[in-house]
């Protein structure tokens, strides 16, 4: 081999390698500039795992001692009722008693026949026994019959296990986005490549039935929804 042959081979290999790298760079540049941005949707119906029941009750009397006695009696009746339904002490929280003196309200229009004192309090039940709680709300009449004056009875349901279903929902939403990208690619005689960029979007939790008269909080069944934004390379 002559002294000029070896450098010629090196030069040729260099040209071939440079041409290959240049071609790949151009290909990558083209691919980088060709992508489609699509949305992916997934929805899942889940059951609430936490129920919170607020029971507010009142009493009115001219005798302050009697009003405390009435409120304390109502507290005990509600606690007894809840335990009878199958709930534990740790699930029951008693709120403080609030007393209002009508004569101390300078702006009030005093009614001579109205009791001077009014009192209110609240008991809150927080439990993971959602079915039991739902059933208990249908028996509130028992409290009224026992003499408890309920001013408000409101049940809220919540789903707190979102993290456990996020991965599977994101997987399905991404698959849904790829289907949309495939539909676009077929119409343009192209094929869908790898993901260029993805945004998981925001998870929302609403009532399973959007027409639920009690709103999102009053529904045991919830609809979890996520919309992802995914960019796919188009080949």
């Amino acid at each position: 081999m002559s002294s000029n042959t070896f450098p010629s081979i090196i030069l040729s290999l260099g040209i071939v390698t440079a041409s290959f790298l240049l071609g790949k760079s151009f290909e990558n540049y083209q691919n980088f500039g060709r992508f489609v941005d699509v949305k992916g949707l997934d929805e899942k119906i889940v059951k609430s795992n936490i129920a919170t029941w607020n029971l507010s009750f009142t009493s009115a009397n001219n005798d302050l001692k009697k009003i405390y006695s009435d409120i304390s009696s109502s507290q005990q009746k509600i606690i007894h009722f809840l335990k009878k339904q199958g709930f534990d002490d740790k699930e029951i929280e008693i709120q403080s008693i609030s007393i209002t003196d009508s004569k101390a309200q300078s702006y009030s229009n005093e009614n001579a026949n109205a009791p001077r004192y009014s009192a209110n309090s609240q008991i809150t039940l927080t439990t993971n026994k959602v079915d039991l709680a739902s059933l208990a709300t249908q028996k509130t009449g028992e409290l009224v019959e026992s003499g408890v004056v309920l001013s408000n009875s409101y049940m809220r349901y919540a789903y707190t296990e979102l993290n456990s279903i996020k991965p599977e929902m994101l997987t399905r939403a991404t698959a849904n986005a790829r289907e949309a990208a495939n539909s676009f690619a077929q119409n343009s005689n192209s094929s869908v490549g790898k993901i260029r960029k993805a945004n998981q979007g925001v998870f929302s939790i609403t009532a399973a039935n959007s027409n639920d008269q009690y709103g999102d909080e009053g529904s045991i069944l919830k609809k979890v929804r996520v919309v992802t934004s995914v960019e796919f390379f188009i080949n």
Side-chain angles (χ1 to χ4, degrees), residues 188-206:
S188 59
N189 296 320
S190 304
S191 61
V192 178
K194 296 180 179 180
I195 293 177
R196 177 177 182 264
K197 185 170 63 174
N199 184 342
Q200 77 166 32
V202 178
F203 281 83
S204 63
I205 302 177
T206 60

Side-chain angles (χ1 to χ4, degrees), residues 139-199:
K139 302 178 181 179
T140 343
E142 294 181 17
L143 287 173
V144 178
E145 290 176 0
S146 69
V148 177
V149 181
L150 289 174
S151 58
N152 188 34
S153 171
Y154 183 64
M155 179 74 79
R156 299 194 310 271
Y157 298 99
Y159 180 71
T160 63
E161 299 179 350
L162 182 59
N163 287 336
S164 66
I165 62 172
K166 270 186 176 182
E168 63 179 88
M169 290 192 67
L170 287 173
T171 298
R172 289 197 297 266
T174 303
N176 180 255
R178 184 173 285 276
E179 288 179 11
N182 282 330
S183 177
F184 172 84
Q186 288 174 4
N187 293 332
S188 59
N189 296 320
S190 304
S191 61
V192 178
K194 296 180 179 180
I195 293 177
R196 177 177 182 264
K197 185 170 63 174
N199 184 342

Side-chain angles (χ1 to χ4, degrees), residues 26-156:
F26 182 70
E27 178 184 343
N28 291 336
Y29 172 78
Q30 285 186 315
N31 287 338
F32 184 81
R34 298 183 61 195
F35 61 89
V36 60
D37 186 359
V38 292
K39 303 293 184 184
L41 168 69
D42 189 54
E43 294 180 339
K44 183 179 179 69
I45 301 298
V46 297
K47 186 176 181 180
S48 298
N49 62 309
I50 296 292
T52 304
W53 191 11
N54 292 322
L55 290 157
S56 300
F57 48 99
T58 62
S59 180
N61 204 289
N62 287 317
D63 187 335
L64 198 54
K65 290 185 179 179
K66 180 67 167 61
I67 207 170
Y68 268 110
S69 175
D70 290 344
I71 285 291
S72 296
S73 175
S74 294
Q75 285 179 341
Q76 295 307 311
K77 288 175 181 178
I78 293 175
I79 292 171
H80 174 74
F81 168 79
L82 292 175
K83 288 185 176 179
K84 181 181 175 183
Q85 306 310 312
F87 302 107
D88 306 322
D89 285 324
K90 63 182 180 180
E91 299 173 299
I92 302 170
E93 180 183 1
I94 304 173
Q95 307 294 333
S96 60
I97 299 173
S98 174
I99 301 289
T100 301
D101 183 354
S102 61
K103 289 187 177 181
Q105 307 295 330
S106 58
Y107 54 84
S108 66
N109 296 320
E110 185 176 346
N111 185 340
N113 297 321
R116 174 177 176 177
Y117 301 106
S118 62
N120 62 79
S121 185
Q122 179 177 283
I123 287 179
T124 302
L125 172 75
T126 304
T127 179
N128 58 7
K129 305 167 187 171
V130 291
D131 289 328
L132 205 59
S134 177
L135 186 62
T137 59
Q138 302 173 31
K139 302 178 181 179
T140 343
E142 294 181 17
L143 287 173
V144 178
E145 290 176 0
S146 69
V148 177
V149 181
L150 289 174
S151 58
N152 188 34
S153 171
Y154 183 64
M155 179 74 79
R156 299 194 310 271

